[in-house]
């Protein structure tokens, strides 16, 4: 995180909805049905959403997109199945009804039966076969209507395939890891059972939302190293606890701030060394190459944009830009903790340069992920 950027500690409902890809109306519906606890309100009486609220919203969105009904998502959270990483996959309704309509249950916006198709009318109303069109436009009008209907049905078919793929991943992985993209889960599925924490998945979920599947896949390198090196994980926990202790009661010039920054810097160096020694950095190289092969830039302008901002790779074209998205994800960091992060970055910038590898072995531009540490509660 750059020193010039300060993440918000809380966000309003509009920014929360924009970040998770939902609407304020949908979030209010989550509150009404008990899916999302009511957050605290600011002095103006408006809701304020923090880190934990946003994590829950992101998982709700992922589950709803996979076709899981909101009532079933709520039950999963209530029973604790979701909190320990398990996700119930038996609640997805994707079967055909008696009239051939496809029902996906309650959607993220509170509507039902979003996949219904009846007598030529799609759920979006874009292909309703009516006598008025037939009389006005003649046979050509009907042909156009049927063409639009076929396109709508093809889109629904593609959506059902996507939902089935997500459900299969959840059943295979046995946890919410299956809700992340294939690119991410493929790198994590070989880890020892129990070595990956829910907080790791939460962090990957945020990274995937901001930087796309490629950014999250690159971040898995960090969690793979931590999951396979217990001593490193223990040291990471110790430093995160020290950072969380830098709360609002600690002044920015308190000696502990600089001390924790030094410890964070030393840990990051040790982590990087482990990543290099284990060859995980070469896996990242291969990941970038494979992604570029499968997703070549459509135009020369796109290629130039990616050269200037590698983190843009893997993000949806209609998604927020990186800076806008990062500014809408809250982290409850105190001024002392932010100062600690700034000092750690300054130490990294002052580090002596390493021996440069030959051009063919150089690392690609790195993707800077959002903070992986969680705020103090």
């Amino acid at each position: 995180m750059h020193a010039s950027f300060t993440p918000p500690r809380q966000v309003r409902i509009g920014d929360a909805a924009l970040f998770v890809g939902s609407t304020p109306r949908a979030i209010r519906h989550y509150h009404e049905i008990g899916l999302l606890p009511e957050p605290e309100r600011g002095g103006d009486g408006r809701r304020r959403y923090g880190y934990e609220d946003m994590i829950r919203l992101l998982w709700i969105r992922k589950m709803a997109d996979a076709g899981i009904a909101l009532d079933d998502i709520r039950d999963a959270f209530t029973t604790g199945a979701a909190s320990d990483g398990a996700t119930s996959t038996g609640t997805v309704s994707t079967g055909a009804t008696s009239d051939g309509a496809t029902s996906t249950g309650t959607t993220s916006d509170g509507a039902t039966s979003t996949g219904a198709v009846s007598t030529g009318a799609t759920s979006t109303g874009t292909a309703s076969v009516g006598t008025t069109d037939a009389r006005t436009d003649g046979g050509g009008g009907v042909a156009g209507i049927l063409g639009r209907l076929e396109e709508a049905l093809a889109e629904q078919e593609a959506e059902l395939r996507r939902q089935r793929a997500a459900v299969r991943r959840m059943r295979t992985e046995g946890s919410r890891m299956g809700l992340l993209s294939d690119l991410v889960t493929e790198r994590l599925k070989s880890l020892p059972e129990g070595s990956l924490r829910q907080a790791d998945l939460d962090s990957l979920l945020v990274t995937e939302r901001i930087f796309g599947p490629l950014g999250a896949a690159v971040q898995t390198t960090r969690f793979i190293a931590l999951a396979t090196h217990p001593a490193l994980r223990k040291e990471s926990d110790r430093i995160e606890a020290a950072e969380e202790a830098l709360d609002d009661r600690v002044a920015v010039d308190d000696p502990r701030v600089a001390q924790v920054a030094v410890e964070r810097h030393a840990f990051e160096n040790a982590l990087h060394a482990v990543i290099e020694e284990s060859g995980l950095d070469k896996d990242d190289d291969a990941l970038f190459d494979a992604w570029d092969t499968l997703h070549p830039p459509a135009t020369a302008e796109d290629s130039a944009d990616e050269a200037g901002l590698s983190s843009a790779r893997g993000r949806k074209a209609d998604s927020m830009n990186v800076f806008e998205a990062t500014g809408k994800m809250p982290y409850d960091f105190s001024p002392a903790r932010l100062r600690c992060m700034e000092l750690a970055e300054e130490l990294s910038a002052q580090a002596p340069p390493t021996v440069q590898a030959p051009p063919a072995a150089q690392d690609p531009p790195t993707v800077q992920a959002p903070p992986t540490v969680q705020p103090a509660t």
Side-chain angles (χ1 to χ4, degrees):
M1 179 180 298
H2 296 289
S4 59
F5 173 75
T6 301
R9 302 186 77 163
Q10 294 177 317
V11 295
R12 294 181 179 178
I13 191 170
D15 286 337
L18 184 60
F19 182 83
V20 302
S22 186
T23 64
R25 176 189 173 189
I27 294 178
R28 293 189 188 99
H29 181 66
Y30 299 161
H31 293 314
E32 291 172 1
I33 66 174
L35 179 56
L36 181 69
E38 280 278 353
E40 64 180 73
R41 294 176 181 263
D44 56 1
R46 297 182 178 180
R47 296 179 178 92
R48 294 291 190 272
Y49 296 84
Y51 179 86
E52 296 297 337
D53 299 316
M54 297 296 285
I55 291 297
R56 184 152 180 162
L57 277 170
L58 285 169
W59 284 120
I60 290 171
R61 179 73 184 187
K62 280 283 188 180
M63 294 178 187
D65 285 349
I68 303 177
L70 294 184
D71 289 344
D72 295 320
I73 298 175
R74 179 192 58 206
D75 293 343
F77 276 115
T78 301
T79 59
S83 63
D84 62 8
T87 299
S88 173
T89 58
T91 59
V92 184
S93 174
T94 57
T97 64
S98 58
D99 60 356
T102 301
S103 172
T104 57
T106 307
T107 68
S108 58
D109 292 325
T112 57
S113 298
T114 59
V117 179
S118 60
T119 63
T122 66
S123 59
T124 57
T126 58
S128 176
V129 181
T131 56
T132 301
D133 288 338
R135 289 195 304 267
T136 303
D137 298 329
V142 172
I145 290 171
L146 293 176
R148 291 193 295 273
L149 173 59
E150 185 175 3
E151 291 177 1
L153 291 172
E155 291 176 358
Q156 292 179 17
E157 185 179 9
E159 176 65 12
L160 285 176
R161 284 198 300 268
R162 185 192 64 77
Q163 290 179 346
R164 288 187 64 187
V167 171
R168 281 196 297 268
R169 285 200 305 271
M170 283 189 286
R171 292 176 67 104
T172 300
E173 304 303 333
S175 74
R176 277 187 276 176
M177 187 172 76
L179 289 168
L180 299 172
S181 66
D182 286 334
L183 200 64
V184 176
T185 56
E186 186 66 25
R187 300 196 76 190
L188 297 174
K189 65 182 184 180
S190 61
L191 289 177
E193 185 177 356
S195 61
L196 197 65
R197 299 178 178 177
Q198 183 58 52
D200 301 337
L201 296 178
D202 292 343
S203 181
L204 288 169
L205 180 67
V206 174
T207 302
E208 187 170 292
R209 177 60 183 159
I210 297 176
F211 297 99
L214 180 61
V218 171
Q219 192 189 19
T220 61
T221 298
R222 180 184 189 90
F223 296 123
I224 292 171
L226 292 175
T228 53
H229 295 78
L232 202 61
R233 172 74 87 174
K234 183 177 180 180
E235 178 65 5
S236 175
D237 291 343
R238 187 189 68 79
I239 294 175
E240 288 184 12
E243 289 172 333
E244 290 180 0
L246 299 177
D247 55 25
D248 288 315
R249 298 169 296 181
V250 179
V252 294
D253 57 353
D254 189 295
R256 288 174 291 177
V257 174
Q259 177 60 36
V260 176
V262 170
E263 293 175 358
R264 167 58 68 181
H265 174 63
F267 170 78
E268 294 299 329
N269 285 342
L271 176 62
H272 183 69
V274 167
I275 290 173
E276 287 189 334
E277 292 170 1
S278 60
L280 288 171
D281 57 331
K282 294 182 175 59
D283 291 342
D284 286 346
D285 291 347
L287 184 65
F288 275 97
D289 292 340
W291 180 271
D292 289 340
T293 299
L294 294 174
H295 305 84
T299 65
E301 182 179 354
D302 292 339
S303 181
D305 289 342
E306 289 185 358
L309 182 62
S310 63
S311 59
R313 291 187 283 188
R315 297 177 64 248
K316 294 181 180 180
D318 61 349
S319 60
M320 298 174 287
N321 63 56
V322 171
F323 185 81
E324 181 183 13
T326 305
K328 296 186 185 307
M329 181 61 196
Y331 291 90
D332 192 16
F333 293 157
S334 68
R337 189 165 181 179
L338 289 173
R339 179 56 181 159
C340 178
M341 296 166 68
E342 293 173 358
L343 291 174
E345 282 200 355
E346 291 174 6
L347 290 172
S348 297
Q350 296 170 3
T354 57
V355 178
Q356 188 174 20
Q362 287 183 2
D363 290 339
T366 57
V367 177
Q368 185 178 6
T372 57
V373 293
Q374 293 200 31
T377 57

